[in-house]
């Protein structure tokens, strides 16, 4: 005998995107301790960015405060190393990607500032990128993001380690320089193409002006939903009518065939 007792309704886990944190979250808690971005931050602390600092100090101090050079170097290098060559995507990552948020410590340079920094300090960046790659290489890392630090992609254990010959070291340096050059050239080409496509000041993913306010977005969503339901209802009605028309046509065809058959039978008699 089956019970008519209703099954209890399934309960879901809490989900409230609008609920604020009771305490400010620590982004560091959202990444494992061995995440590569921490290595990048530690290396950045040891970099000499005085050449970039000098260029900044030569400008009028009354202008907009620049972002910390080490942060900008790290943003570009880490981003390029993991395959992000677009300044717009780097800007977006500082909002949406936890490693980038940790790296920039809550700063969000826009894409124009990012691309301008690269263009103004291109020579310094080439040297700093090489320093970082060589430090990682000397520490025994095989790769940093998508960048192969060892041309052979083989990491020897400490017991099997062989000192890199001077000739091999020069070859590796040239290879890394070429890879850095390709990175920077691809970044420049990407930014120019996106500037042309979206307009220099635009990110390219902005909502239309009429959807910027939540109230207006909700109205637009409700209107779109109503329109879709109306179209679906009309589509169902048209399908029902089409089925009825096909059925009527089949019936008419069948009756016509029967009538012809009767006529032929009478003619034979």
């Amino acid at each position: 005998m089956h019970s008519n007792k209703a099954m209890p309704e399934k309960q879901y886990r809490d989900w409230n995107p609008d609920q604020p944190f009771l305490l400010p979250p620590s982004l560091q808690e959202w990444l494992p301790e061995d995440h590569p971005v921490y290595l990048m931050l530690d290396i950045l602390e040891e970099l000499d960015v005085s050449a970039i600092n000098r260029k900044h100090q030569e400008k009028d101090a009354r202008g907009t405060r620049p972002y910390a050079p080490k942060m900008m170097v790290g943003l570009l290098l880490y981003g390029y190393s993991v395959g992000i060559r677009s300044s717009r995507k780097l800007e977006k990552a500082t909002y949406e990607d936890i490693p980038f948020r940790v790296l920039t410590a809550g700063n969000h340079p826009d894409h124009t500032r990012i691309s301008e920094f690269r263009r103004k300090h291109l020579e310094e960046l080439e040297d700093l990128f090489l320093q970082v790659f060589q430090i990682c290489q000397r520490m025994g890392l095989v790769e940093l993001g998508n960048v192969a630090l060892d041309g052979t992609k083989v990491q020897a254990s400490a017991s099997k380690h062989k000192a890199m010959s001077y000739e091999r070291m020069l070859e590796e340096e040239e290879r890394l320089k070429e890879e850095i050059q390709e990175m920077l050239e691809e970044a420049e080409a990407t930014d120019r193409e996106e500037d042309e496509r979206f307009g220099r000041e635009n990110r390219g993913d902005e909502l239309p002006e009429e959807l910027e306010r939540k109230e207006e977005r909700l109205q637009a969503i409700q209107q779109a939903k109503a329109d879709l339901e109306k179209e679906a209802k009309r589509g169902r009605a048209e399908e029902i009518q089409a089925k009825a028309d096909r059925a009527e046509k089949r019936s008419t065809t069948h009756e016509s065939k029967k009538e012809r058959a009767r006529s032929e039978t009478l003619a034979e008699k």
Side-chain angles (χ1 to χ4, degrees):
M1 182 175 179
H2 296 288
S3 173
N4 293 326
K5 186 177 179 181
M7 293 290 290
E9 185 176 349
K10 177 71 72 176
Q11 298 298 310
Y12 298 104
R13 300 187 185 197
D14 291 340
W15 179 68
N16 183 2
D18 294 325
Q19 180 177 346
F21 287 101
L22 297 178
L23 293 173
S26 172
L27 291 176
Q28 284 81 355
E29 296 177 359
W30 294 358
L31 291 175
E33 292 182 359
D34 61 349
H35 195 282
V37 78
Y38 294 129
L39 171 64
M40 178 64 68
L41 287 169
D42 290 340
I43 294 176
L44 288 172
E45 285 299 314
E46 301 300 321
L47 286 187
D48 179 4
V49 295
S50 56
I52 296 176
N53 280 329
R54 281 195 296 273
K55 286 187 177 180
H56 283 306
Q57 298 307 321
E58 291 170 358
K59 291 186 176 182
D60 190 334
R62 292 172 297 182
T64 304
R65 291 178 63 189
Y67 289 100
K70 287 186 178 181
M71 185 205 79
M72 295 296 286
V73 171
L75 174 60
L76 289 171
L77 178 53
Y78 183 76
Y80 294 169
S81 296
V82 298
I84 302 177
R85 307 292 164 82
S86 161
S87 293
R88 285 171 173 80
K89 290 181 179 178
L90 287 177
E91 175 189 350
K92 187 175 183 179
T94 67
Y95 288 96
E96 301 180 1
D97 194 303
I98 293 174
F100 284 91
R101 296 198 64 151
V102 170
L103 181 62
T104 57
N107 288 282
H108 306 288
D110 65 40
H111 62 276
T112 56
R113 299 284 290 274
I114 294 171
S115 59
E116 286 173 2
F117 183 88
R118 184 191 64 245
R119 289 164 181 159
K120 290 178 180 177
H121 307 293
L122 195 60
E123 185 176 340
E124 291 83 2
L125 287 172
E126 290 176 353
D127 180 60
L128 291 168
F129 282 17
L130 180 61
Q131 286 184 47
V132 173
F133 288 154
Q134 288 179 325
I135 289 171
C136 291
Q137 191 180 62
R138 186 56 61 94
M139 291 170 65
L141 296 181
V142 177
E143 58 188 12
L144 181 64
N146 300 334
V147 179
L149 300 174
D150 184 346
T152 63
K153 293 191 177 181
V154 175
Q155 184 177 19
S157 65
S159 60
K160 297 180 180 179
H161 178 72
K162 296 181 180 179
M164 185 182 291
S165 68
Y166 183 69
E167 182 179 354
R168 169 73 189 287
M169 187 170 64
L170 291 179
E171 290 175 356
E172 280 295 291
E173 182 174 319
E174 286 304 312
R175 184 185 65 81
L176 289 173
K177 284 182 177 179
E178 289 177 5
E179 186 143 6
I180 291 167
Q181 189 67 32
E182 289 177 5
M183 277 184 182
L184 295 169
E185 288 177 356
E186 184 179 343
E188 178 64 23
T190 300
D191 284 348
R192 287 187 181 279
E193 188 274 328
E194 291 182 349
D195 284 348
E196 185 174 343
R197 192 187 342 159
F198 303 124
R200 187 172 183 276
E201 301 299 326
N202 300 324
R203 293 193 316 271
D205 62 351
E206 295 90 347
L207 286 173
E209 186 176 347
E210 63 271 17
L211 298 180
E212 290 180 355
R213 291 170 53 83
K214 184 171 183 176
E215 296 81 359
E216 294 169 347
R217 285 200 302 271
L218 290 176
Q219 290 177 3
I221 290 170
Q222 291 165 0
Q223 184 61 54
K225 187 170 179 287
D227 291 344
L228 289 170
E229 290 172 350
K230 187 183 297 183
E231 289 178 8
K233 185 177 181 181
R234 184 170 61 248
R236 287 193 296 270
E238 290 175 354
E239 180 62 24
I240 291 171
Q241 184 61 49
K243 286 182 179 179
D245 292 343
R246 288 194 295 271
E248 183 179 354
K249 184 177 181 180
R250 285 195 299 270
S251 176
T252 301
T253 302
H254 181 65
E255 290 299 324
S256 297
K257 288 181 179 179
K258 287 173 63 177
E259 184 63 33
R260 283 199 303 271
R262 283 196 297 268
S263 298
E264 290 172 358
T265 300
L266 291 173
E268 290 174 357
K269 292 180 179 180

